[in-house]
């Protein structure tokens, strides 16, 4: 009769199975045991990691909110508005999840600005890291797009008029203003088409973009290493 394998034997077998198909152990070892330079122990070198944690927190809380949010404005009150109220008042810890999502979004913008200021101050944007600086600027624009599209989703009075003002500012863009306004609104006025577009961009397009940009950002950091201060 065969003996029952011990938990450690099962763990070793699973890791060996993975290693034969993907460099699992070597990848983990490289990430865990890479030496960090002494100058990178300063607190301001942690701004990038804090930004990553906030982005991850936004993605996780956003998934939980999407379980209950209804992107529909038909009726009075609109389901989009009532679904947010349901999250805040009826869903278990819904108020906490939405609060974390809201305040972490504000803190995320602050941390990105601090991180980019640190990169500029220490000269970390210099060659050969200028491409990574460009990727970081694009990530900032994506986060600002997150803020713009997410602000409308509660579909309350403040969100409606704030987004209306933002779209009017977009409409003032030279040459392409009318086209950009039509694309943002999804119609002649701010309404159901606008919410559908903002929801789609906020939930599907922007998360995919930020994940891709973070992957490129981290790969470039691993390739070039942490830059020394000027």
């Amino acid at each position: 009769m065969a003996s029952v394998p011990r938990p450690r034997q099962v763990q070793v077998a699973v890791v060996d199975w993975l290693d034969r198909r993907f460099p699992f152990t070597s990848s983990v070892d490289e990430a865990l045991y890479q030496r960090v330079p002494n100058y990178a122990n300063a607190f301001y070198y942690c701004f990038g990691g804090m930004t990553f944690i906030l982005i991850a927190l936004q993605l996780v809380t956003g998934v939980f909110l999407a379980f209950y949010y209804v992107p529909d404005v038909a009726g009075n009150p609109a389901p989009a508005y009532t679904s947010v109220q349901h999250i805040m008042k009826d869903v278990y810890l819904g108020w906490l999840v939405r609060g974390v999502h809201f305040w972490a979004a504000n803190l995320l913008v602050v941390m990105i600005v601090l991180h980019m200021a640190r990169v500029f101050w220490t000269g970390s944007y210099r060659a050969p890291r200028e491409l990574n600086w460009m990727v970081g600027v694009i990530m900032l624009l994506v986060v600002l797009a997150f803020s713009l599209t997410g602000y409308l989703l509660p579909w309350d009075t403040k969100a409606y008029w704030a987004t209306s003002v933002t779209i009017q500012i977009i409409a003032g863009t030279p040459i392409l203003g009318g086209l950009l306004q039509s694309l943002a609104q999804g119609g002649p006025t701010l309404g159901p088409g606008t919410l559908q577009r903002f929801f789609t961009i906020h939930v599907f397009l922007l998360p995919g973009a930020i994940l891709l940009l973070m992957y490129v950002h981290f790969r470039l950091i691993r390739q070039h290493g942490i830059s020394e201060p000027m």
Side-chain angles (χ1 to χ4, degrees):
M1 180 178 178
S3 60
V4 178
R6 296 181 178 180
R8 177 175 174 78
Q9 294 175 324
V10 175
Q11 295 171 5
V12 171
V14 170
V15 172
D16 289 341
W17 184 88
L18 286 172
D19 276 336
R20 288 193 294 268
R21 291 156 179 82
F22 181 82
F24 178 75
T25 303
S26 59
S27 300
V28 173
D29 288 344
E30 181 186 5
L32 292 179
Y33 299 109
Q34 185 181 29
R35 182 180 178 275
V36 178
N38 291 331
Y39 57 79
N41 290 327
F43 74 95
Y44 46 79
Y45 274 92
C46 298
F47 291 158
M50 295 170 68
T51 300
F52 166 73
I53 292 173
L54 288 171
I55 291 176
L57 194 61
Q58 288 297 94
L59 294 174
V60 172
T61 55
V63 169
F64 287 134
L65 292 174
F67 288 160
Y68 298 96
Y69 180 73
V70 180
D72 184 13
V73 298
N76 188 22
Y81 175 79
T82 56
S83 64
V84 174
Q85 297 305 309
H86 173 64
I87 292 172
M88 294 293 293
K89 297 178 181 179
D90 302 325
V91 177
Y92 179 68
L93 294 182
W95 60 272
L96 178 61
V97 174
R98 184 170 181 248
V100 169
H101 193 77
F102 176 81
W103 288 109
N106 291 274
L107 185 58
L108 176 58
V109 177
V110 175
M111 291 309 307
I112 288 181
V113 173
L114 288 176
H115 177 54
M116 296 184 72
R118 195 280 303 169
V119 171
F120 185 81
W121 177 51
T122 57
S124 301
Y125 59 88
R126 296 171 296 171
R129 298 176 177 85
E130 63 270 31
L131 178 60
N132 214 10
W133 170 263
M134 298 176 190
V135 173
V137 172
I138 297 174
M139 290 177 67
L140 172 62
L141 297 177
V142 171
V143 168
L144 293 178
F146 265 120
S147 300
L148 172 63
T149 54
Y151 201 85
L152 179 64
L153 300 187
W155 200 253
D156 54 13
T157 303
K158 182 174 68 173
Y160 180 91
W161 289 111
T163 305
S164 178
V165 171
T166 303
I167 291 178
Q168 291 302 319
I169 295 174
I170 294 174
T173 305
I175 302 176
L176 297 177
L179 176 61
L180 294 176
Q181 181 183 17
S182 178
L183 289 174
Q185 288 185 165
T189 60
L190 195 155
T194 313
L195 183 67
Q196 289 289 344
R197 293 194 177 199
F198 276 42
F199 176 78
T200 302
I201 294 171
H202 189 80
V203 174
F204 296 104
L205 298 183
L206 294 180
I210 200 69
L211 288 173
L212 176 62
L213 289 169
M214 283 197 301
Y215 173 78
V216 174
H217 198 64
F218 291 146
R219 290 295 298 178
L220 289 173
I221 292 174
R222 296 304 297 270
Q223 179 176 347
H224 300 301
I226 302 175
S227 65
E228 298 183 15
M230 295 179 63

